[in-house]
Amino acid sequence: MKLSLKNPIVFFDLETTGVNITSDRIVEISYLKVFPNGNEVSRTMRINPEMHIPEQASEVHGIYDDDVKDCPTFKQVAKDVAHDFEGADIAGFNSNRFDVPLLAEEFLRAGVDLDMTRRKFIDVQVIFHKMEQRTLSAAVKFYCGKELEGAHSADADTRATYEVLQAQLDRYDELQNDIAWLSEFSSHTRNVDFAGRIVYDDKGVEVFNFGKYKGIPVVEVLRRDPGYYSWMMQGDFSLNTKQVLTRIKLSTK
């Protein structure tokens, strides 16, 4: 089923040095931008992460230090990538939990202010798991009737994710061909920050989603325990989480 789009949507996938949002880096990014008129633009690029790629990561995606030593850093391409993502909704496979938060970190480290707060985010893996409980390779076989060639390459995974979402819309009558609805359906929580450390509760209040203050409004915690802000700002939290926390703190003054 062809996607019903009001805005362009970018399907993207990252290959990285690891799975830590705050410390790992992108080694390859691939994205497919689909426009409301059906036109498509795709781009794949290797990125020099400016750090050693652990062997465990290389064994998964097949990208080694020598493969990216002469490639641009993310900072060098960040503005171009941001331009392609500008004004578009965003989709991926396990993207809400990993790819989106890590990409946001890379933009912040590069000094590029890409406002993604008004975007719709569709995580095709969440839709898949809610419906069938499988993996991307299994999803391609189940929904598209073929094997996923080149699994764990960003380009193959990006295209496969796009095709799976279209096939999901064909298969499930209960899924609405509407980006806002799909975004809501594929969200685990209503995140305030991309890492999900701060979320909206049932009343739309920003609350912490971890630790001793889990479920307690951020504003209330900052008022009764001022040192908690400093602890988080100095801790191993993502730049985006710290940015959101600071915004909330400043809004209470």
Side-chain angles (χ1 to χ4, degrees), residues 122-147:
I122 297 177
D123 193 326
V124 175
Q125 185 191 61
V126 175
I127 297 175
F128 185 31
H129 286 178
K130 284 186 174 182
M131 295 297 187
E132 301 294 343
Q133 306 290 314
R134 302 276 180 99
T135 63
L136 179 56
S137 295
V140 172
K141 187 173 183 178
F142 183 84
Y143 290 110
C144 306
K146 63 181 182 180
E147 299 293 332

Side-chain angles (χ1 to χ4, degrees), residues 26 31 43 46 64 99 101 106 110-111 124 149 170 195 198 202 248:
I26 296 171
Y31 50 92
R43 188 178 187 186
R46 293 276 175 90
Y64 295 82
D99 298 79
E106 289 279 37
V124 175
E149 301 293 336
D170 285 328
I198 301 172
D202 293 340
I248 296 173

Side-chain angles (χ1 to χ4, degrees), residues 42-247:
S42 63
R43 188 178 187 186
T44 299
M45 67 184 86
R46 293 276 175 90
I47 303 294
N48 184 340
E50 301 181 277
M51 63 179 287
H52 170 60
I53 304 174
E55 284 69 22
Q56 285 184 323
S58 294
E59 288 173 1
V60 173
H61 50 55
I63 303 172
Y64 295 82
D65 290 341
D66 285 346
D67 297 322
V68 294
K69 64 181 181 180
D70 297 322
C71 294
T73 65
F74 187 80
K75 186 173 184 179
Q76 291 174 318
V77 302
K79 289 185 178 179
D80 288 339
V81 175
H83 175 75
D84 289 338
F85 275 66
E86 188 68 42
D89 294 316
I90 297 172
F93 199 86
N94 193 32
S95 50
N96 286 353
R97 288 186 171 184
F98 181 70
D99 298 79
V100 169
L102 196 147
L103 182 63
E105 285 296 286
E106 289 279 37
F107 278 129
L108 288 170
R109 279 191 288 265
V112 174
D113 185 16
L114 178 63
D115 183 8
M116 295 193 288
T117 58
R118 297 181 180 178
R119 311 301 176 80
K120 300 294 187 298
F121 297 93
I122 297 177
D123 193 326
V124 175
Q125 185 191 61
V126 175
I127 297 175
F128 185 31
H129 286 178
K130 284 186 174 182
M131 295 297 187
E132 301 294 343
Q133 306 290 314
R134 302 276 180 99
T135 63
L136 179 56
S137 295
V140 172
K141 187 173 183 178
F142 183 84
Y143 290 110
C144 306
K146 63 181 182 180
E147 299 293 332
L148 174 55
E149 301 293 336
H152 296 300
S153 72
D155 180 56
D157 288 357
T158 297
R159 173 66 63 174
T161 300
Y162 175 43
E163 293 178 356
V164 167
L165 178 57
Q166 293 180 93
Q168 286 173 331
L169 290 169
D170 285 328
R171 180 177 289 268
Y172 303 114
D173 292 337
E174 60 266 42
L175 293 182
Q176 297 182 25
N177 191 354
D178 177 80
I179 297 302
W181 189 93
L182 291 169
S183 175
E184 180 70 22
F185 184 74
S186 63
S187 297
H188 284 290
T189 59
R190 297 174 60 203
N191 290 0
V192 181
D193 67 320
F194 292 124
R197 295 290 190 169
I198 301 172
V199 299
Y200 293 106
D201 66 10
D202 293 340
K203 298 180 181 179
V205 176
E206 297 156 324
V207 301
F208 283 112
N209 194 36
F210 73 99
K212 63 181 180 180
Y213 292 127
K214 184 173 182 178
I216 300 177
V218 176
V219 171
E220 180 180 334
V221 172
L222 295 180
R223 183 174 60 250
R224 74 188 196 194
D225 186 358
Y228 201 68
Y229 171 79
S230 297
W231 174 76
M232 287 192 64
M233 294 303 289
Q234 295 170 12
D236 187 26
F237 295 94
S238 71
L239 295 175
N240 174 252
T241 298
K242 294 176 180 179
Q243 184 184 55
V244 168
L245 182 64
T246 299
R247 175 185 59 76

